[in-house]
Amino acid sequence: MSVTAPVRMAFPRESVRDPFFDNAKFLAITLVVSGHLIEDLRDVPVAHAAYFYVYVFHMPLFIVLSGYLSRNFTFSSGKARKLISALAVPYVIFEVAYALPRLIMYGKLDISLLDPYYLTWFLMSLFLWRLSTPVWQQLRWPLAIAVGLSLVSGTSALPDELSMNRTFGLLPFYVLGLMLRPDHFAWLRRRAVRAAGAVTLAAGAAVALLVHTEVRTEWIRWRHANEAIGVDDLTGSLIRLGMLAAGALLVAAFLAVTPSRRTWYSGLGVATMYAYLLHGFVVKIAERFYGDWAVTPWGVAVVALSGVGLAAVLCTPPVRAVTRWAVEPRMSWAFTRLRRPA
């Protein structure tokens, strides 16, 4: 699955950051990286089960956090500039960058800025979700409407342009994030809730082991309509509703067990967009070197654990210094004062 997101997010300007969100983002990006690394090993049952389990909630987790941290988005000049420099420009850069290996290996240059390739879909969808923020903030039942749109989108053969299937299908998680308040996260940090979260995550893993061969992978990728997956709209809508509920439950459980204190990886959680956008290159290279050693349960475990190290390295200051021009381009030169009608 081409994926999140995950993602550099704008925080309110405060003298002290809450490490809880940085911890959650870093732990989530390790799931993304590890999930991509084992994607090519899914012939091993444990890898297939782990892939299925992680993909049920890892991008919903990033999307919920993105929504929560986008609550104050408006169309003011500063926010609009950040939208362009943090999402639009990196999207163009990495859409081109991920097309170059195909040119080198296959002699084929295929760039379509409207049809996201590989993991750039998240930048496209987040750009559209964030643009829609002021609308959701004024609706009376935003989450119900978002769920309705998600279900209806599965009944239509939406085009690949603008990542329409994922943009509409995963929309409820973004709107859910917009609706959350600090006291919701405070509730998740209660001891009893944290214990329940750990049990829920364990139970989810057990269920994934039991059903991963019975559920088509496309349901966790959100890329196609019901008909393309091979079910009627009623069945597809019920499955989609179940995937939304399962994703939301596991997101809550994951956040419940996320440490709220400062950890060794809290600082790395500030830069998860670097790991997200850069790890795809490493994954594509690594897949070419998988041998028989990797196609075993122990090999899968080693590859998955290496994803934690890779995610950490890609979030470090040296990597950020070298790649900042692409991930966080400084675009002040491209903007002027807000033009207002006379």
Side-chain angles (χ1 to χ4, degrees):
M1 172 180 176
S2 58
V3 290
T4 189
V7 55
R8 185 188 72 252
M9 303 174 191
F11 284 83
R13 294 186 177 276
E14 298 175 344
S15 58
V16 179
R17 295 177 64 99
D18 185 347
F20 171 78
F21 294 102
D22 290 333
N23 293 340
K25 289 192 296 174
F26 178 77
L27 293 175
I29 194 62
T30 63
L31 296 179
V32 172
V33 177
S34 294
H36 271 158
L37 284 171
I38 67 172
E39 184 173 6
D40 210 39
L41 302 174
R42 284 177 292 155
D43 288 339
V44 183
V46 67
H48 193 280
Y51 179 87
F52 177 82
Y53 176 56
V54 166
Y55 272 68
V56 170
F57 72 95
H58 76 323
M59 286 314 297
L61 172 61
F62 272 117
I63 297 167
V64 168
L65 292 173
S66 297
Y68 179 73
L69 298 170
S70 300
R71 292 170 300 156
N72 295 322
F73 177 82
T74 64
F75 291 116
S76 64
S77 58
K79 296 297 177 71
R81 293 179 183 186
K82 193 171 185 64
L83 190 66
I84 293 171
S85 61
L87 293 176
V89 174
Y91 169 78
V92 173
I93 292 173
F94 281 91
E95 184 70 13
V96 173
Y98 276 110
L100 294 180
R102 285 180 290 173
L103 174 63
I104 296 172
M105 292 187 291
Y106 309 113
K108 179 181 179 181
L109 182 62
D110 184 12
I111 300 175
S112 176
L113 293 182
L114 294 181
D115 184 6
Y117 173 68
Y118 197 30
L119 48 73
T120 57
W121 72 265
F122 181 68
L123 296 182
M124 172 68 78
S125 294
L126 183 56
F127 182 89
L128 297 173
W129 290 329
R130 196 162 284 172
L131 276 179
S132 71
T133 297
V135 175
W136 298 110
Q137 298 287 32
Q138 298 180 67
L139 294 176
R140 188 180 297 275
W141 303 289
L143 188 56
I145 294 173
V147 170
L149 287 174
S150 177
L151 299 182
V152 170
S153 71
T155 67
S156 307
L158 298 177
D160 293 330
E161 283 75 14
L162 302 181
S163 189
M164 296 300 290
N165 286 288
R166 284 172 172 147
T167 298
F168 279 107
L170 293 164
L171 174 63
F173 294 111
Y174 182 79
V175 176
L176 174 61
L178 289 177
M179 299 300 104
L180 293 176
R181 301 187 302 273
D183 53 299
H184 291 129
F185 291 97
W187 180 80
L188 287 175
R189 301 181 195 186
R190 295 180 178 181
R191 180 173 299 180
V193 178
R194 290 170 65 85
V199 172
T200 300
L201 289 176
V207 171
L209 281 171
L210 294 174
V211 307
H212 70 96
T213 58
E214 306 299 325
V215 181
R216 295 192 62 176
T217 305
E218 285 305 326
W219 289 116
I220 60 174
R221 290 179 169 176
W222 298 90
R223 296 188 306 182
H224 299 297
N226 301 326
E227 183 179 5
I229 302 178
V231 298
D232 61 85
D233 286 335
L234 177 58
T235 302
S237 295
L238 291 175
I239 294 175
R240 283 172 173 266
L241 190 60
M243 297 303 297
L244 289 172
L249 179 63
L250 291 174
V251 166
F254 187 90
L255 291 173
V257 302
T258 297
S260 57
R261 66 185 183 283
R262 186 160 189 82
T263 65
W264 65 267
Y265 51 82
S266 297
L268 301 176
V270 179
T272 51
M273 180 63 88
Y274 287 83
Y276 179 77
L277 290 175
L278 297 173
H279 82 275
F281 298 107
V282 181
V283 169
K284 291 300 183 184
I285 295 173
E287 288 175 346
R288 294 178 169 270
F289 294 95
Y290 290 160
D292 293 339
W293 66 270
V295 192
T296 64
W298 285 109
V300 170
V302 170
V303 172
L305 288 174
S306 69
V308 180
L310 176 59
V313 169
L314 294 179
C315 292
T316 56
V319 174
R320 292 157 61 183
V322 173
T323 59
R324 190 183 307 275
W325 65 272
V327 181
E328 293 184 295
R330 293 183 172 88
M331 300 294 299
S332 58
W333 56 270
F335 301 109
T336 185
R337 296 179 58 185
L338 182 64
R339 300 185 183 94
R340 299 184 182 277

